[in-house]
Amino acid sequence: MKKDNFEIAVFAGDGVGREIMNEALKVLRLISDRRKIKLSIAEGYVGGSAYDLFGVPLPQQSLDLAMHCDAVLLGAVGGPAWENLDYSLRPERALLGLREKLGLYANLRPVTVFDELLDASPLKKSVVQGIDIMIVRELTGDVYFGQPRGVTKGQDGKRKGVNTMVYTEDEIARIAVRAFEIALSRKRNLLSVDKANVLETTELWRTVVTEVGRNYPEVTLKHMYVDNCAMQLIRNPAQFDVIVTTNLFGDILSDEAAMLTGSIGMLPSASLGKDSALYEPIHGSAPDIAGKNIANPLATILSVALMLRYSLAMPEDASLVEKAVAEVLKEGFRTQDIYSEGNKLVGTEEMGNQIITMLKQLLN
Ligand code: NAD
């Protein structure tokens, strides 16, 4: 039987977090009212605001909350007030702590360009028009976690830095299965990105992804070296459907792909584990515009769409939220970051209200 009762942990975080979260929660509540889904929304503190209250960026009660909920929705953390704290107490440590403790091994970043925002891209319209890419980045392995690591001094007194690229076949198979499943729900093309010509770890990556692919005959699997992929993302991004790659390569390629859209306030993300999931915009806490009601809430609203799709099994409603965003942009409403002449400049709250008005029409 389909579940109709969900618990969501909400961490607004710092900077613009509260403002953008207010608008995203309106969307979540509207959908749950209309669909008669029971949503328990519990708010907690992470990041700088948690440090101010509890002396740590990820208090135990926030972690407990995140661990027993069906999904976590996060605004953003960080800001100048906490920049000089010890590394272990910085707001950003909360993100790493949540990823690690929730076992969030798959990071999903959809990269789409709304037709109305084509001008915001640093690339030519003809190159970015129609792109619809899903980047699936492995998030808990690779050089970021491999041992040994560190900087040591040799007998000759010279320093040496070491990080270890390591993947087990289980880790590779786990992320590959996710990527194939996602490809099945899209255009059924999966590209695996590695550097198998020079790195043995990613030679294993290529082998295991190919083995997993035998269980997904409906998906066309291709492989590409990371340097070529970096180039192709700029040359012809429309060729890609789903890209799966390692933690390090995914970190770099997903930021490169994000820039194709030219608008950081528009891009959502999902980090998925076996039983947990965290949804957040890709942008930071934007302290320079915090408290001014000018931040773009659409990345966070689109993160709610991802939550509906991947955690609440409501893919039709996820698409409706995405459609509402596209329609509101078509009507010319723009926050300052995506504004161009001839459009209607609105603040954070009004943008949220426009989405709600549109969504109500679409839900009828
Ligand atoms: P940022 O993404 O916060 O801001 C970069 C630029 O984009 C700023 O000019 C900002 O005003 C603008 N911007 C960002 N989001 C916007 C939005 N929704 N609407 C309109 N404009 C927006 O990156 P930064 O300035 O490098 O970092 C600020 C703080 O955020 C730092 O403390 C950093 O560590 C933290 N950070 C947090 C996360 C996260 O919580 N996931 C991610 C990145 C950075």
Side-chain angles (χ1 to χ4, degrees):
M1 208 179 80
K2 205 174 156 191
K3 192 171 159 180
D4 61 359
N5 187 345
F6 295 95
E7 287 180 69
I8 312 291
V10 168
F11 301 123
D14 309 317
V16 295
R18 181 74 266 162
E19 298 160 67
I20 55 179
M21 188 59 79
N22 287 345
E23 305 315 307
L25 288 180
K26 284 184 197 164
V27 171
L28 198 53
R29 291 200 170 103
L30 174 64
I31 299 270
S32 72
D33 281 356
R34 289 297 174 95
R35 298 298 188 217
K36 308 274 183 280
I37 299 286
K38 193 169 174 301
L39 275 191
S40 315
I41 295 176
E43 295 223 28
Y45 292 91
V46 297
S49 55
Y51 173 81
D52 289 346
L53 284 170
F54 305 101
V56 285
L58 181 57
Q60 189 60 44
Q61 59 265 46
S62 297
L63 188 56
D64 291 345
L65 178 63
M67 289 182 84
H68 91 255
C69 279
D70 295 290
V72 177
L73 186 62
L74 189 108
V77 298
W82 305 284
E83 252 166 32
N84 296 322
L85 288 175
D86 182 72
Y87 184 66
S88 64
L89 295 174
R90 300 244 182 103
E92 294 78 4
R93 294 296 301 173
L95 301 177
L96 299 180
L98 283 169
R99 276 179 200 166
E100 189 193 331
K101 302 284 186 209
L102 300 180
L104 304 174
Y105 66 86
N107 182 239
L108 274 50
R109 261 197 203 184
V111 180
T112 44
V113 181
F114 292 91
D115 280 350
E116 293 69 28
L117 299 182
L118 280 171
D119 284 333
S121 174
L123 298 189
K124 283 188 230 145
K125 267 188 194 181
S126 59
V127 174
V128 286
Q129 192 148 34
I131 65 168
D132 179 6
I133 310 172
M134 175 66 85
I135 300 195
V136 182
R137 166 188 169 196
E138 201 289 330
L139 204 58
T140 53
D142 208 348
V143 281
Y144 297 175
F145 296 91
Q147 295 290 344
R149 63 184 299 157
V151 177
T152 54
K153 213 178 238 183
Q155 284 181 341
D156 58 0
K158 304 264 188 206
R159 286 164 298 169
K160 184 170 82 168
V162 174
N163 288 95
T164 305
M165 176 177 272
V166 55
Y167 268 116
T168 64
E169 64 172 293
D170 288 353
E171 287 173 324
I172 302 169
R174 183 174 66 169
I175 189 80
V177 167
R178 275 279 184 186
F180 277 107
E181 293 289 335
I182 289 167
L184 273 182
S185 68
R186 294 171 47 102
K187 294 184 211 122
R188 305 190 165 198
N189 291 313
L190 178 62
L191 179 79
S192 173
V193 174
D194 59 44
K195 189 74 181 162
N197 49 342
V198 287
L199 296 171
E200 288 83 350
T201 313
T202 68
E203 200 183 333
L204 177 67
W205 175 279
R206 186 176 284 219
T207 305
V208 175
V209 172
T210 306
E211 287 164 7
V212 172
R214 295 199 186 109
N215 299 327
Y216 294 90
E218 312 89 336
V219 177
T220 305
L221 171 66
K222 288 190 179 151
H223 304 272
M224 192 179 273
Y225 297 137
V226 62
D227 40 350
N228 187 20
C229 185
M231 188 179 76
Q232 295 295 335
L233 272 171
I234 302 296
R235 198 183 72 84
N236 177 19
Q239 69 184 286
F240 298 115
D241 177 19
V242 182
I243 297 176
V244 64
T245 191
T246 62
N247 201 347
L248 175 64
F249 298 160
D251 190 355
I252 300 163
L253 292 178
S254 62
D255 268 18
E256 184 191 354
M259 264 326 286
L260 297 174
T261 72
S263 41
I264 196 172
M266 295 294 303
L267 294 173
S269 78
S271 299
L272 310 178
K274 191 163 155 283
D275 304 307
S276 307
L278 183 147
Y279 300 86
E280 60 180 328
I282 72 155
H283 61 74
S285 59
D288 51 334
I289 57 167
K292 297 184 180 163
N293 189 36
I294 56 176
N296 185 345
L298 294 178
T300 318
I301 289 173
L302 290 167
S303 300
V304 168
L306 293 184
M307 178 186 283
L308 292 167
R309 183 169 291 125
Y310 293 112
S311 286
L312 310 193
M314 298 167 74
E316 292 86 10
D317 294 297
S319 300
L320 284 186
V321 172
E322 287 159 354
K323 182 148 199 265
V325 170
E327 292 297 322
V328 165
L329 292 173
K330 220 175 263 174
E331 289 190 352
F333 294 101
R334 302 280 190 277
T335 43
Q336 159 206 271
D337 55 310
I338 50 174
Y339 177 78
S340 57
E341 232 182 271
N343 289 307
K344 301 166 206 161
L345 183 63
V346 291
T348 311
E349 200 180 336
E350 192 179 343
M351 181 57 102
N353 291 341
Q354 290 298 336
I355 299 290
I356 291 294
T357 305
M358 182 58 69
L359 198 50
K360 280 182 177 163
Q361 287 174 30
L362 295 173
L363 281 163
N364 277 333

